[in-house]
Amino acid sequence: MPMPQHVAEGTGQLKIDNGFTIGLDGYKDARLESARSRFIGTLSRVTGIPYHNDVPSGEPTLIVKTTGPSDAIQRVGEDESYHLEVTSTHALLTAPNPLGAMHGLQTFLQLVTITPEGFAAPAATIDDSPRFPWRGLMIDASRHFQPLEVIKRNLDGMEAVKMNVFHWHLSDNQGFRAESKLFPLLTGKGSNGLYYTQEQMREVVAYARDRGIRVVPEFDMPCHTTAWFAGYPELASGKGPYAIETKWGIFDPAMDPSRESTFEFIGKLIGEMTTVFPDAYFHVGGDECNGKEWDANPAVQAFMRAHHFKDNAALQSYFTARVQKLVAAHNRIMVGWDEVLQPDTPKDVVIHSWRGPEGLARAVRQGNRAILSNGYYVDLNQSAAEHYLADPLGGAAATLNPEQKKLVLGGEAAMWSEFTPSEIIDSRIWPRTAAIAERLWSSEDVRDVNSMYTRMAAISDRLVFYGLHHQSFSWPMLQRMSGQQDPKYLAVLASVVQPPVGYQRESLKQYDWHSPLNHLVDAVPPESNSARDFDNLVAAIVAGTASPDEWQQTKDQLTLWRDNDAKLQPSLKQSDITAELIPVSQTLAQVSTIGLRALDDLQNHRIADPATTQADTETLKAAEKPQGVLRNMIVSPVEAMVKAAAAQKP
Amino acid sequence: MPMPQHVAEGTGQLKIDNGFTIGLDGYKDARLESARSRFIGTLSRVTGIPYHNDVPSGEPTLIVKTTGPSDAIQRVGEDESYHLEVTSTHALLTAPNPLGAMHGLQTFLQLVTITPEGFAAPAATIDDSPRFPWRGLMIDASRHFQPLEVIKRNLDGMEAVKMNVFHWHLSDNQGFRAESKLFPLLTGKGSNGLYYTQEQMREVVAYARDRGIRVVPEFDMPCHTTAWFAGYPELASGKGPYAIETKWGIFDPAMDPSRESTFEFIGKLIGEMTTVFPDAYFHVGGDECNGKEWDANPAVQAFMRAHHFKDNAALQSYFTARVQKLVAAHNRIMVGWDEVLQPDTPKDVVIHSWRGPEGLARAVRQGNRAILSNGYYVDLNQSAAEHYLADPLGGAAATLNPEQKKLVLGGEAAMWSEFTPSEIIDSRIWPRTAAIAERLWSSEDVRDVNSMYTRMAAISDRLVFYGLHHQSFSWPMLQRMSGQQDPKYLAVLASVVQPPVGYQRESLKQYDWHSPLNHLVDAVPPESNSARDFDNLVAAIVAGTASPDEWQQTKDQLTLWRDNDAKLQPSLKQSDITAELIPVSQTLAQVSTIGLRALDDLQNHRIADPATTQADTETLKAAEKPQGVLRNMIVSPVEAMVKAAAAQKP
């Protein structure tokens, strides 16, 4: 995962044992050497076989033959292809440059699995290259600061699934996270001491480049800028004083476009940051200006009249145009969110669509290039399937002509961090981002959801060996909630609930920067595997295709859930974090009891009593509503069973 | 854990919520500031409440009042005491110096638990100080190299349980792991590129000091030195050529004590290493010389005759005396394993007992100070209870007089690393080392094993928040063994088996440096919690004190184990790592079946049929033997049930 463009299966398999070696051939450089070492380390972790970094003496098992160098600064659209041949005795990976070689190494690693004869890679011939040149992950390091090791291990995960852009959201109302030597108060008063030094950011750039990943920094403006104003209130349109915002949402503060000094400041900052970030692209945000500070500022109003700006959109358009020139002056190409698109936007500006595919199509029709994040917001707790089926060339973009389609560069998974301190963030990014990575790399017609889930489960296990915490994060949180109690019954409840989808969570409970994110909603992954498995069982039962074993599994599962409440209840009162789960656990028992009744009716071809059906349906309807800021994911399959039990023919 | 010397419980509890703050009072320095930040970080992780590092404006909830500084270089026997008062509104920690303050902070962190009213620390007054001044953990970084982050997270774990000596075993036959600028071939040819730079070692020294931990380096000589000879064969008594040893065991190579150049080399190396390690103590090993190279070297034999050395022990004694002078010349005190003790050993040399308490008693009677590691070898997979009950003043040392007892400085958990690559090592050290830490800190009469296990389980969960991998290591290994199969049934088997104890493992299978340590024996912790819980249930049943719930639990547990084999068997053949578990899983089913029969006999007061009893007893006897390099830990309790069922009165 992502699925390669062409795979031809061969005969037999290549054993990966103690004697396995890897050697470089053709063009060599430090990055390839580093990729080789990293491959050896990953192969050791994936297999548990101790490989060492020594250069092999004989002919290596895997030869990596690279034709020539990559660009000094990784370019959008640079060749990323590779060719991989695995036979029962050897493997040969060829690539025009190190980018392709690195992708091929990741493919090889994915081929290695345990077999009855030991670890092995199946014989195969693979030709591969990406569908889109821009396959990104955005991490918001402002709302919750993400320490360096979080960034690094996520870059490792990106490499595993062949993503090539790390979009670093470095400033927002809640924090300015990038050290500026020209403007030290940006972090001095705008970060609570939580920021990246320039040395650390350069380290990330090098770390990413080593993995074939570009780093695009984002400094969001003219809004989402409260943290800037804490140190530099003169940039703002309002009166201030300003302090770091500790709430979530959309806020009024906005830069003052009527003053030349604002642009002088921005120009200098961009200049400074381009010394840290060599990438050709520079993201300036531009989203969600409510214009209230502009409306309230007489000088800004006078400026608008003088320039005949009819509304705030026109004012922002002016601002964007000025900033674009500053970006261009530093030899960078501007990227901005949907809102920056105006009729006169220069054609090289890249539009980053977050509001919907229409924005992307509009930008492209206007001749701009675009990338899609709408549909890829991994903070919203949607299913992997939903992300997977969102295509950069789907929706409104499906009607674009072939030339226009070429302007769609790809997309980015977006990890906004209101609810993701570093303890949790990996679980929101992975493994679902692997499904997005496949969407952006693989052929448009690779869209079988069941196949995706099977392969995503495999890559999820692999990503543990890349150092990601998406599987291990949960248990310690359950222990923390449980105190002296054994968390095993809490874990049963945890396995069937999910966080609310979209922005519903904020409507259920008040949250801000000080809220402890240590509840069950934080400790469960966005998608319940148990519930999905159960859903599949119920689908088979309702369709009449279930095997006796599947009937039994369904019954066992429902019995376990029904009986869990009695075991879990006494401990829930022992901790104030679990007290809110008292009704959640009760509901699970209730829903499971209904499920067992419906299952029994179905198994015995007994038409459910209409009164019972109606009462159960109402109970289930109520159970659909979130409790304890959690969704119970077995309600929907149980509803399906109740419906089927009632609809049986006599 | 470790249990403080004096605890007086108070009334009520101190809430630890969003508003909790901590402030320093009295003496302040960078180390205390760093301890404060670290405390805030740990408290955040332990509670999930986001605390920030800002200095509080009002009166802090917890005041840390320190009288004065610690020594510039931490001294053996330096005051480590503290006094902690927690009331329902505030907490006051007082200590004469930062060492005590840091210990008190760890105690406070352990007091914090989740309650029905949120996180809180119970009101209490605690006076505490250690029983022994030397409470160490030795890590062997030679046989398996341990990356810097492994060392650091284990130092974090040591701080949590108030250990104060990190003994770093830096060289052995299988690798020289410390960069020497004077003798670059030590790592150049003796480390496979896996070593610590001097900068990294200084970083570890500073990291440890920040946590109140001394770092004692060990360079083992004159034997265990093959890795030195790979680069400097002229140091050896044999002809060479030498290469890093890749097998485990005791080997012949030994330094040549007949040549002055040997001592010149050692003196320079010690001098260089004392610039990295400021501690007053320097460990020179001295264990396990078989003397074969000396016997075979005519020059050495001539030297022995000339000096009237009657045997190799006398020759080693000469060597040790020379090395001791070199150590002393650099203002360091020598530490050596048992073997270095001779009648004329200078009185300041510290003897490190690994062979038994007799050696420790002998050293002390001779007027030397001593530390104990015998009984604390955590690589040998003994139970925490065994380590816990081994007392530095127990056994032969119990007969020492009070003055002599003062010469016993404490002890060290010893983590030899033949079977512990970095993936596994945390699980061998933790949580059992917490029991050793308590032995070395707490009063001699704190020795209730059940209480220890209860508290060790709590600290084990806490240590996860210190970054240790001792709980999370297992699941990814089970996944790796299982490949495409769900590891859940393998996990059931894993929960009741343990690695062989002592040196038995090497007699069951051949191992060396190239052996993949990716089997079930590597993936299970040294001590099975499930088996211990089951053991306790069976004890209650056999004693006739079991509740109906305990009878049921015992039956459920045996049923789960009996039925697991049928579910697990099909997948075991799918992976060559699990194939060896086919009989192991069968045995579990067989033993559980016997257990269910005996349980039923006991429950129905039915005297077991003698023939059945005899057949079952033989089956169980056979099941005691390790299979798949694993011990089945329920055999012994099932034997107890069978015996009890047969012994019932009519």
Side-chain angles (χ1 to χ4, degrees):
Chain A
M1 192 171 209
M3 183 68 85
Q5 303 298 345
H6 300 285
V7 182
E9 286 177 31
T11 313
Q13 57 182 25
L14 177 65
K15 282 198 78 164
I16 311 293
D17 57 16
N18 269 337
F20 176 88
T21 53
I22 168 173
L24 300 179
D25 194 7
Y27 172 78
K28 286 171 201 168
D29 63 12
R31 187 154 63 151
L32 281 166
E33 292 291 353
S34 149
R36 180 181 169 278
S37 304
R38 208 159 56 245
F39 172 90
I40 290 169
T42 309
L43 189 65
S44 277
R45 287 192 300 278
V46 161
T47 60
I49 300 171
Y51 294 109
H52 297 280
N53 210 3
D54 315 320
V55 173
S57 47
E59 196 192 347
T61 321
L62 168 60
I63 296 172
V64 182
K65 194 169 181 176
T66 311
T67 310
S70 308
D71 284 8
I73 294 167
Q74 194 172 326
R75 192 170 40 77
V76 174
E78 207 173 335
D79 193 340
E80 299 183 81
S81 68
Y82 66 92
H83 174 84
L84 176 62
E85 273 181 53
V86 182
T87 71
S88 58
T89 57
H90 282 89
L92 175 65
L93 169 62
T94 53
N97 64 35
L99 297 178
M102 290 193 283
H103 292 319
L105 287 174
Q106 295 303 320
T107 299
F108 186 89
L109 282 168
Q110 289 197 27
L111 292 177
V112 177
T113 51
I114 187 72
T115 76
E117 286 77 44
F119 283 98
T125 303
I126 294 175
D127 274 295
D128 203 9
S129 59
R131 179 177 168 215
F132 291 109
W134 190 302
R135 305 177 306 280
L137 168 64
M138 186 214 77
I139 291 182
D140 169 8
S142 173
R143 291 180 177 80
H144 274 103
F145 179 72
Q146 304 299 335
L148 212 59
E149 67 263 25
V150 174
I151 302 299
K152 287 186 176 177
R153 68 189 185 223
N154 278 286
L155 288 166
D156 291 335
M158 290 174 68
E159 183 186 24
V161 296
K162 304 186 175 65
M163 292 185 119
N164 66 356
V165 182
F166 171 50
H167 167 181
W168 207 351
H169 187 79
L170 281 163
S171 69
D172 214 304
N173 297 311
Q174 293 83 0
F176 194 100
R177 306 300 184 193
E179 178 193 29
S180 164
K181 293 185 179 174
L182 294 178
F183 306 109
L185 297 184
L186 284 170
T187 56
K189 296 207 166 178
S191 78
N192 283 79
L194 299 169
Y195 64 92
Y196 309 103
T197 64
Q198 294 198 356
E199 191 187 346
Q200 288 174 325
M201 294 188 288
R202 288 197 176 91
E203 196 181 325
V204 166
V205 168
Y207 193 91
R209 175 173 165 76
D210 245 3
R211 285 150 183 79
I213 299 168
R214 300 161 41 222
V215 180
V216 177
E218 178 187 353
F219 295 92
D220 201 350
M221 56 183 103
C223 303
H224 286 277
T225 39
T226 312
W228 308 47
F229 304 157
Y232 299 95
E234 64 273 22
L235 293 172
S237 306
K239 290 202 184 78
Y242 294 93
I244 295 177
E245 182 57 59
T246 63
K247 294 198 164 39
W248 311 134
I250 298 177
F251 301 95
D252 302 344
M255 285 179 172
D256 185 344
S258 73
R259 295 157 75 168
E260 275 309 302
S261 55
T262 302
F263 298 106
E264 278 164 30
F265 186 105
I266 294 170
K268 283 182 191 164
L269 183 70
I270 291 172
E272 184 181 15
M273 291 303 157
T274 55
T275 69
V276 175
F277 297 102
D279 197 75
Y281 294 78
F282 198 96
H283 204 306
V284 297
D287 56 321
E288 297 186 321
C289 278
N290 69 14
K292 288 188 188 168
E293 276 200 353
W294 292 336
D295 295 342
N297 182 325
V300 170
Q301 292 301 314
F303 181 82
M304 287 175 71
R305 282 191 298 276
H307 285 74
H308 309 292
F309 295 147
K310 69 176 194 309
D311 55 16
N312 286 330
L315 178 64
Q316 187 177 346
S317 184
Y318 162 78
F319 176 87
T320 304
R322 291 289 306 266
V323 169
Q324 190 273 331
K325 287 192 185 71
L326 295 170
V327 171
H330 291 99
N331 292 312
R332 295 296 189 275
I333 300 165
M334 189 177 101
V335 187
W337 298 104
D338 279 323
E339 289 91 329
V340 305
L341 183 70
Q342 295 297 330
D344 56 351
T345 299
K347 293 298 170 246
D348 72 337
V349 170
V350 175
I351 302 302
H352 192 169
S353 269
W354 71 281
R355 296 191 297 195
E358 301 74 21
L360 176 131
R362 194 178 320 122
V364 166
R365 289 212 170 85
Q366 207 172 301
N368 287 78
R369 293 171 303 162
I371 51 179
L372 185 69
S373 275
N374 180 274
Y376 304 141
Y377 269 34
V378 290
D379 61 317
L380 298 186
N381 297 310
Q382 291 172 275
S383 70
E386 286 170 276
H387 295 314
Y388 190 60
L389 296 176
D391 197 294
L393 295 179
T399 61
L400 296 171
N401 68 37
E403 278 311 299
Q404 287 169 334
K405 283 184 177 175
K406 281 188 193 147
L407 296 176
V408 178
L409 298 178
E412 289 184 4
M415 180 68 248
W416 300 105
S417 67
E418 283 90 342
F419 295 104
T420 48
S422 57
E423 181 177 36
I424 296 170
I425 193 166
D426 290 9
S427 75
R428 274 43 184 165
I429 300 176
W430 307 105
R432 293 176 305 150
T433 291
I436 298 171
E438 175 157 294
R439 175 56 44 236
L440 298 173
W441 176 283
S442 304
S443 170
E444 189 170 1
D445 54 15
V446 174
R447 46 194 297 118
D448 182 288
V449 167
N450 288 332
S451 160
M452 179 276 286
Y453 272 115
T454 303
R455 293 178 295 109
M456 190 175 78
I459 192 84
S460 176
D461 290 352
R462 276 300 159 91
L463 288 170
V464 172
F465 293 113
Y466 285 76
L468 288 160
H469 295 192
H470 62 298
Q471 293 192 352
S472 60
F473 86 109
S474 181
W475 187 254
M477 295 182 76
L478 299 183
Q479 283 179 333
R480 177 164 70 200
M481 298 167 70
S482 305
Q484 314 276 13
Q485 320 296 319
D486 188 330
K488 66 183 173 183
Y489 303 119
L490 182 58
V492 171
L493 181 62
S495 73
V496 295
V497 292
Q498 282 182 200
V501 165
Y503 299 98
Q504 193 187 11
R505 179 167 179 179
E506 285 155 287
S507 70
L508 298 170
K509 198 168 167 179
Q510 283 281 331
Y511 289 98
D512 65 19
W513 201 63
H514 296 290
S515 306
L517 297 170
N518 58 7
H519 289 246
L520 192 58
V521 61
D522 306 299
V524 296
E527 210 171 353
S528 157
N529 291 333
S530 302
R532 196 173 55 251
D533 291 346
F534 182 70
D535 219 27
N536 289 335
L537 284 173
V538 167
I541 281 174
V542 168
T545 59
S547 67
D549 188 46
E550 287 173 328
W551 281 95
Q552 187 60 44
Q553 277 181 54
T554 309
K555 188 173 174 183
D556 289 350
Q557 194 66 78
L558 285 165
T559 308
L560 175 80
W561 292 332
R562 181 196 61 194
D563 296 347
N564 191 63
D565 183 51
K567 295 168 185 158
L568 177 59
Q569 271 310 334
S571 71
L572 292 178
K573 301 179 197 78
Q574 303 303 313
S575 151
D576 109 305
I577 314 183
T578 56
E580 67 181 1
L581 302 175
I582 290 171
V584 181
S585 175
Q586 285 163 347
T587 299
L588 178 61
Q590 212 175 9
V591 171
S592 303
T593 302
I594 294 173
L596 281 165
R597 193 270 301 157
L599 188 72
D600 195 52
D601 284 350
L602 285 165
Q603 194 153 23
N604 295 303
H605 306 293
R606 189 169 55 223
I607 300 175
D609 162 54
T612 307
T613 300
Q614 197 188 329
D616 286 353
T617 304
E618 277 161 27
T619 304
L620 292 170
K621 198 83 202 158
E624 279 175 8
K625 293 203 194 78
Q627 278 183 314
V629 201
L630 286 162
R631 296 189 297 148
N632 181 326
M633 301 312 292
I634 69 156
V635 173
S636 163
V638 167
E639 281 174 335
M641 285 202 292
V642 167
K643 205 172 278 181
Q648 289 179 101
K649 297 265 148 57
Chain B
M1 192 170 206
M3 181 68 85
Q5 303 298 346
H6 300 284
V7 181
E9 286 177 32
T11 312
Q13 57 181 25
L14 176 65
K15 282 198 79 164
I16 311 293
D17 58 16
N18 269 338
F20 175 88
T21 53
I22 168 174
L24 301 178
D25 194 7
Y27 173 77
K28 286 171 202 168
D29 63 13
R31 187 154 64 150
L32 280 165
E33 293 291 353
S34 150
R36 180 181 168 279
S37 305
R38 207 158 58 244
F39 172 91
I40 290 168
T42 309
L43 189 65
S44 276
R45 287 193 300 279
V46 161
T47 60
I49 300 171
Y51 293 110
H52 297 280
N53 211 3
D54 315 320
V55 174
S57 47
E59 194 191 350
T61 322
L62 168 61
I63 296 172
V64 182
K65 194 168 181 176
T66 310
T67 311
S70 308
D71 285 7
I73 294 167
Q74 195 172 325
R75 191 170 39 78
V76 174
E78 208 173 334
D79 194 340
E80 298 182 81
S81 68
Y82 67 92
H83 175 85
L84 176 63
E85 272 180 54
V86 182
T87 71
S88 58
T89 57
H90 282 89
L92 175 65
L93 168 63
T94 53
N97 64 35
L99 297 177
M102 290 193 284
H103 292 319
L105 287 174
Q106 294 303 319
T107 298
F108 187 89
L109 282 168
Q110 288 197 27
L111 292 177
V112 178
T113 49
I114 186 72
T115 76
E117 287 77 44
F119 284 99
T125 303
I126 293 175
D127 274 295
D128 203 9
S129 60
R131 180 177 167 215
F132 292 108
W134 190 301
R135 305 177 307 280
L137 167 64
M138 186 214 77
I139 291 181
D140 170 8
S142 173
R143 290 180 176 82
H144 274 102
F145 179 71
Q146 304 299 334
L148 212 59
E149 68 261 26
V150 174
I151 302 299
K152 286 186 177 175
R153 70 189 184 222
N154 277 286
L155 288 166
D156 291 336
M158 289 174 69
E159 182 186 25
V161 296
K162 304 186 174 65
M163 291 183 118
N164 67 356
V165 182
F166 171 50
H167 167 180
W168 206 351
H169 187 80
L170 281 163
S171 69
D172 214 304
N173 297 311
Q174 293 83 1
F176 194 101
R177 306 300 183 194
E179 178 192 30
S180 165
K181 294 186 178 172
L182 295 177
F183 305 109
L185 296 183
L186 284 170
T187 56
K189 296 206 164 180
S191 79
N192 284 80
L194 299 170
Y195 64 92
Y196 309 103
T197 64
Q198 294 198 355
E199 192 187 346
Q200 288 175 324
M201 293 187 288
R202 288 197 177 91
E203 196 181 326
V204 166
V205 168
Y207 194 92
R209 176 175 164 76
D210 244 3
R211 286 150 183 80
I213 299 168
R214 302 162 39 221
V215 180
V216 177
E218 178 187 352
F219 295 91
D220 202 350
M221 56 182 103
C223 304
H224 286 278
T225 40
T226 313
W228 308 47
F229 305 157
Y232 299 95
E234 63 274 21
L235 293 172
S237 305
K239 289 201 185 81
Y242 292 93
I244 295 176
E245 182 56 58
T246 62
K247 294 197 164 39
W248 312 134
I250 298 176
F251 299 95
D252 302 344
M255 286 179 170
D256 185 345
S258 74
R259 294 157 75 169
E260 274 310 302
S261 56
T262 302
F263 298 106
E264 279 164 30
F265 186 106
I266 294 171
K268 282 181 190 164
L269 183 71
I270 292 172
E272 184 182 15
M273 291 302 156
T274 55
T275 69
V276 176
F277 297 102
D279 197 75
Y281 294 78
F282 199 97
H283 205 306
V284 296
D287 55 322
E288 296 186 321
C289 279
N290 69 14
K292 287 188 189 168
E293 277 200 352
W294 292 336
D295 295 342
N297 182 326
V300 170
Q301 292 301 313
F303 181 81
M304 286 175 71
R305 281 190 300 276
H307 285 74
H308 307 292
F309 295 147
K310 67 176 194 310
D311 56 15
N312 286 331
L315 179 64
Q316 188 177 345
S317 183
Y318 162 78
F319 175 86
T320 304
R322 291 288 307 267
V323 170
Q324 189 274 330
K325 288 193 183 69
L326 296 170
V327 170
H330 290 99
N331 291 313
R332 295 296 189 276
I333 300 165
M334 189 176 102
V335 187
W337 298 105
D338 278 324
E339 288 92 328
V340 305
L341 183 70
Q342 295 296 329
D344 56 351
T345 300
K347 294 298 169 244
D348 72 336
V349 170
V350 175
I351 301 301
H352 192 170
S353 270
W354 71 280
R355 294 191 298 194
E358 302 74 20
L360 176 130
R362 195 179 319 120
V364 166
R365 289 214 170 84
Q366 208 173 301
N368 287 78
R369 292 171 304 161
I371 51 178
L372 186 69
S373 274
N374 181 274
Y376 303 140
Y377 270 34
V378 290
D379 61 317
L380 299 186
N381 297 311
Q382 290 172 276
S383 70
E386 285 169 278
H387 296 314
Y388 189 60
L389 296 176
D391 197 295
L393 295 179
T399 61
L400 296 171
N401 68 39
E403 279 310 299
Q404 288 169 334
K405 283 184 176 175
K406 282 188 192 148
L407 296 176
V408 177
L409 299 177
E412 289 184 4
M415 180 67 249
W416 301 105
S417 67
E418 283 90 342
F419 295 105
T420 48
S422 57
E423 181 177 35
I424 297 170
I425 193 166
D426 291 10
S427 75
R428 272 45 184 164
I429 300 176
W430 307 104
R432 293 176 305 150
T433 290
I436 298 171
E438 175 157 294
R439 175 57 45 235
L440 298 173
W441 176 283
S442 305
S443 170
E444 189 170 2
D445 55 15
V446 174
R447 46 194 297 118
D448 182 287
V449 167
N450 288 332
S451 160
M452 178 277 285
Y453 272 115
T454 304
R455 292 178 296 110
M456 190 175 78
I459 191 84
S460 176
D461 290 354
R462 277 299 159 90
L463 288 170
V464 171
F465 293 113
Y466 285 76
L468 287 160
H469 294 192
H470 61 299
Q471 293 191 353
S472 60
F473 85 109
S474 181
W475 186 253
M477 294 182 76
L478 298 184
Q479 283 179 333
R480 177 165 71 202
M481 297 168 69
S482 305
Q484 314 275 14
Q485 319 296 319
D486 189 330
K488 67 182 172 183
Y489 303 120
L490 183 58
V492 172
L493 181 62
S495 73
V496 294
V497 293
Q498 283 182 199
V501 165
Y503 299 98
Q504 193 187 12
R505 179 167 180 180
E506 285 154 287
S507 70
L508 298 169
K509 199 168 166 179
Q510 281 281 332
Y511 289 98
D512 66 19
W513 202 63
H514 297 290
S515 306
L517 297 170
N518 59 6
H519 289 246
L520 192 57
V521 61
D522 306 300
V524 296
E527 210 171 352
S528 157
N529 291 334
S530 302
R532 197 173 53 250
D533 291 346
F534 182 70
D535 219 27
N536 289 334
L537 284 174
V538 168
I541 281 174
V542 167
T545 59
S547 66
D549 188 47
E550 287 173 328
W551 281 94
Q552 189 60 43
Q553 278 182 52
T554 309
K555 189 173 174 182
D556 289 350
Q557 193 66 266
L558 285 165
T559 308
L560 174 80
W561 291 333
R562 181 196 61 194
D563 296 347
N564 192 62
D565 183 50
K567 296 168 186 159
L568 177 59
Q569 272 309 334
S571 70
L572 293 178
K573 301 180 196 77
Q574 303 303 313
S575 151
D576 108 307
I577 314 184
T578 56
E580 65 181 3
L581 301 175
I582 290 172
V584 181
S585 176
Q586 285 164 346
T587 298
L588 178 61
Q590 210 175 9
V591 171
S592 304
T593 303
I594 294 173
L596 282 165
R597 194 269 301 157
L599 188 73
D600 195 51
D601 285 349
L602 285 165
Q603 194 151 23
N604 296 303
H605 306 293
R606 189 170 56 223
I607 300 176
D609 162 53
T612 308
T613 300
Q614 196 188 332
D616 286 354
T617 304
E618 276 162 26
T619 304
L620 292 171
K621 198 83 203 158
E624 280 176 8
K625 293 203 195 79
Q627 278 182 313
V629 200
L630 286 163
R631 296 189 297 149
N632 181 325
M633 301 311 291
I634 68 155
V635 174
S636 163
V638 167
E639 281 174 335
M641 285 201 293
V642 167
K643 206 172 279 183
Q648 288 179 102
K649 295 266 149 56

